Amino acid sequence: MAQRSNNSLRIIARLDIKNNYLIKPIQLEGLRKLGNPNEYALKYYKEGIDEIIFSDNVASLYKRTYLEEIILNATKKIFVPITVGGGIKSVKDVERILRIGADKIFVNTAAVDNPNLIKEISKEFGSQCMVVSIEAKKNDDTWEVYTNNGRERTFKNVLDWIKESIQLGAGELFITSIDKDGTKKGFDIELISNANKISSIPIIASGGAGNSQHCFDLLNKTKINSLALGSILHYNIASIKKIKKDLMEENFKVRIVNE
Amino acid sequence: MNKKILIIDYGIGNLRSVYQAVTHLGYECELSNKKKDIENAYKIILPGVGAFGAAISKLKNLDLIHSIEKFKNKGNYLLGVCLGMQLMLKKSFEFGQNDGLNFVDGQVVNLNTIVKSEAEIPHIGWCKLENIKDSKNKIFKNIENEDMFYFIHSYYSKIIQKNDIEILYSIYNDSKFTSMFINENIIGVQFHPEKSGASGLKLLYNFLQL
């Protein structure tokens, strides 16, 4: 494997939302309510998070979105990139979400149903804001794409879907391991490593981070730069400062925010 | 004099983030695509994301190019952000050739012409301004070597005629690229100061104070 580049890592907070609550599912299921997502997001911003992802967990199931007010509030006080997804089905939906202040959007279910949506969105707004979210689960020896928050099988192979997404104009991949999500037992290194080998665009790895060692393990075995953290932050297992300090001590480059 | 900050609203990009950041810093700002507002503005921010060709067409269709030139020639400050920076160059090679505003002699070219083949494009991430300590410009007041800024781009500004232009560079996958230029009252930043946390806000504040 070629040497890891000298770029700075992106440590990203993943906030799953149901209605106006921050929730933390396990394997994308179950709905433990944790509190006000704007309060959590602002706290993470102040502690030095590099980016924030808001994922609306019920939007695609019930075909509605509660996210707008949360995004509007967030953009008044938070000055790092904000990525939003969940229930986005059309170019019109994207326009609305970007207009109220999101920087990037991610699409999962609607893109699987209609892959051309990736092309339409990246053509209209640029591939830099078109993130393809992939919910991956290992069945037998391959990873399968799931939709609707891990509820529905698609029988699509994750690696094939990655190639197709890139061809269609995706600017970034947000890959969640359904098996590892919420378990705090470490990232799915095999999944991310295989994805990394075939991807020419940046990958955000999501699902399973429970401590700093899990981050080192993934970073040492892949060349990705971006990690999404959920439980570890929401349950205050470790602060962003602590995780970044640990990463720095392992000689990874991170952005340090001085107060 | 009206000291409002004008953000050019030409139907492209996420203007709201820039608007929020300027407001957060205690400055009044307005969005406009009217020629008169632009020609009489005190200070202008030209934002932009997406494709060069589409953006320059929108400026042309709104007949704003001459107004932006007129504003620039008065010597007032103009800040181009991301695609807004690239629009100020002479030419772009993003999806065919397009002419830009030509405030700076340079070309917009793909990052793949300078980075190693395995580098991911778009470049999304945080970088330092490597040669910031060489600059005495007031726009860098209180900004240290270690401050990092948020980038998201596939193309960069290759400056051809460098005389009298201050150029800052950053590094992606061991390759240097232009992350900022200052040509008297014309300033371009490839990164998003409105999305670069406290560092970005400092730089934006310094611009507002110029």
Side-chain angles (χ1 to χ4, degrees):
Chain A
M1 185 176 287
Q3 224 182 340
R4 160 168 290 281
S5 70
N6 206 22
N7 304 322
S8 175
L9 300 177
R10 275 190 296 154
I11 305 302
I12 301 169
R14 173 188 179 141
L15 286 87
D16 287 271
I17 308 292
K18 186 192 179 191
N19 300 341
N20 48 358
Y21 278 96
L22 171 68
I23 55 166
K24 183 57 216 152
I26 294 178
Q27 300 185 322
L28 297 180
E29 291 237 50
L31 298 172
R32 178 157 176 199
K33 284 185 183 177
L34 295 175
N36 178 333
N38 283 111
E39 285 173 14
Y40 278 79
L42 186 60
K43 174 173 170 263
Y44 298 152
Y45 171 64
K46 287 181 175 165
E47 288 176 359
I49 203 73
D50 298 321
E51 196 163 325
I52 290 174
I53 293 176
F54 287 116
S55 174
D56 188 341
N57 277 46
V58 291
S60 66
L61 188 62
Y62 299 107
K63 310 219 181 302
R64 59 186 182 185
T65 174
Y66 288 84
L67 271 178
E68 295 186 14
E69 203 179 325
I70 295 169
I71 305 166
L72 279 169
N73 278 327
T75 54
K76 282 181 194 153
K77 291 174 187 161
I78 294 174
F79 300 101
V80 291
I82 294 176
T83 302
V84 175
I88 290 173
K89 292 182 292 296
S90 65
V91 167
K92 261 216 158 74
D93 289 343
V94 175
E95 189 177 3
R96 207 180 68 243
I97 301 278
L98 293 179
R99 191 165 281 279
I100 56 178
D103 299 285
K104 299 187 275 189
I105 58 89
F106 71 77
V107 183
N108 172 20
T109 309
V112 171
D113 292 345
N114 169 24
N116 222 31
L117 184 61
I118 298 173
K119 199 185 230 172
E120 287 170 27
I121 295 171
S122 61
K123 204 175 153 206
E124 184 75 25
F125 307 102
S127 63
Q128 85 292 328
C129 80
M130 176 63 241
V131 183
V132 171
S133 163
I134 300 177
E135 293 161 3
K137 189 171 167 58
K138 199 169 185 183
N139 288 328
D140 303 320
D141 273 341
T142 56
W143 285 272
E144 182 180 332
V145 176
Y146 278 62
T147 56
N148 286 303
N149 285 299
R151 289 181 199 93
E152 277 177 43
R153 296 187 67 166
T154 66
F155 302 96
K156 244 183 198 309
N157 178 287
V158 166
L159 300 179
D160 293 342
W161 179 227
I162 288 175
K163 288 179 202 155
E164 192 181 344
S165 299
I166 295 171
Q167 287 264 307
L168 289 165
E172 195 172 13
L173 301 168
F174 173 38
I175 304 179
T176 304
S177 160
I178 298 174
D179 303 309
K180 300 284 185 174
D181 177 59
T183 63
K184 305 190 281 276
K185 287 181 179 161
F187 289 96
D188 189 337
I189 293 173
E190 219 188 323
L191 163 69
I192 301 299
S193 167
N194 278 301
N196 188 201
K197 277 179 201 150
I198 59 158
S199 177
S200 56
I201 61 175
I203 291 174
I204 300 169
S206 176
N211 56 46
S212 300
Q213 185 63 45
H214 292 151
C215 301
F216 310 154
D217 292 345
L218 178 69
L219 294 168
N220 284 327
K221 295 213 174 78
T222 65
K223 288 185 283 172
I224 69 155
N225 282 297
S226 309
L227 308 177
L229 308 179
S231 305
I232 186 172
L233 301 180
H234 306 333
Y235 294 119
N236 216 0
I237 297 165
S239 69
I240 294 156
K241 281 212 159 95
K242 167 81 166 72
I243 296 164
K244 286 194 168 184
K245 192 169 155 273
D246 291 346
L247 285 163
M248 241 167 64
E249 282 169 6
E250 292 288 313
N251 291 318
F252 293 108
K253 276 178 77 177
V254 291
R255 179 179 73 105
I256 296 299
V257 174
N258 300 310
E259 265 146 73
Chain B
M1 191 181 184
N2 179 3
K3 287 206 168 185
K4 259 193 212 166
I5 309 303
L6 188 135
I7 300 172
I8 300 182
D9 179 6
Y10 58 117
I12 198 161
N14 180 1
L15 308 175
R16 192 179 162 84
S17 301
V18 179
Y19 180 90
Q20 293 287 14
V22 172
T23 309
H24 178 83
L25 291 167
Y27 280 77
E28 260 192 90
C29 71
E30 63 178 340
L31 305 173
S32 174
N33 57 17
K34 294 196 180 72
K35 295 162 79 162
K36 210 171 147 224
D37 290 347
I38 290 169
E39 286 165 25
N40 296 319
Y42 163 67
K43 223 171 243 186
I44 287 182
I45 299 178
L46 177 63
V49 295
F52 189 101
I56 206 82
S57 305
K58 286 191 179 178
L59 286 177
K60 273 185 195 154
N61 292 342
L62 289 162
D63 195 20
L64 297 183
I65 292 184
H66 184 61
S67 301
I68 299 172
E69 274 167 1
K70 250 176 143 172
F71 168 85
K72 173 220 154 199
N73 291 337
K74 286 201 299 191
N76 287 6
Y77 283 101
L78 170 60
L79 176 68
V81 175
C82 196
L83 179 60
M85 168 205 212
Q86 298 178 356
L87 291 172
M88 301 198 289
L89 300 195
K90 192 172 181 177
K91 225 179 226 352
S92 167
F93 291 93
E94 181 180 356
F95 304 121
Q97 261 198 55
N98 284 288
D99 289 335
L101 295 168
N102 198 13
F103 295 167
V104 171
D105 184 7
Q107 301 173 344
V108 181
V109 292
N110 199 304
L111 277 171
N112 66 17
T113 58
I114 51 164
V115 295
K116 285 182 243 160
S117 60
E118 75 263 22
E120 290 155 350
I121 292 177
H123 163 220
I124 307 178
W126 295 75
C127 297
K128 296 176 195 169
L129 305 179
E130 298 290 337
N131 53 336
I132 193 170
K133 61 179 180 298
D134 302 337
S135 177
K136 295 196 167 55
N137 200 294
K138 280 187 285 188
I139 200 164
F140 301 121
K141 193 181 164 196
N142 297 325
I143 297 178
E144 312 294 331
N145 289 341
E146 299 310 306
D147 278 274
M148 295 178 111
F149 300 87
Y150 176 72
F151 290 81
I152 177 161
H153 61 125
S154 300
Y155 288 76
Y156 83 104
S157 300
K158 183 176 172 184
I159 309 296
I160 307 290
Q161 175 58 261
K162 297 179 181 174
N163 291 351
D164 304 322
I165 299 180
E166 201 175 331
I167 298 171
L168 288 102
Y169 68 89
S170 297
I171 294 175
Y172 178 54
N173 271 57
D174 306 326
S175 298
K176 279 186 191 181
F177 68 91
T178 315
S179 45
M180 181 164 176
F181 64 70
I182 305 170
N183 184 13
E184 296 177 4
N185 58 323
I186 304 297
I187 301 170
V189 289
Q190 181 60 62
F191 52 88
H192 288 271
E194 78 282 9
K195 289 288 164 181
S196 299
S199 304
L201 292 178
K202 275 190 283 185
L203 188 129
L204 200 53
Y205 182 75
N206 293 340
F207 171 76
L208 300 171
Q209 291 270 313
L210 286 176

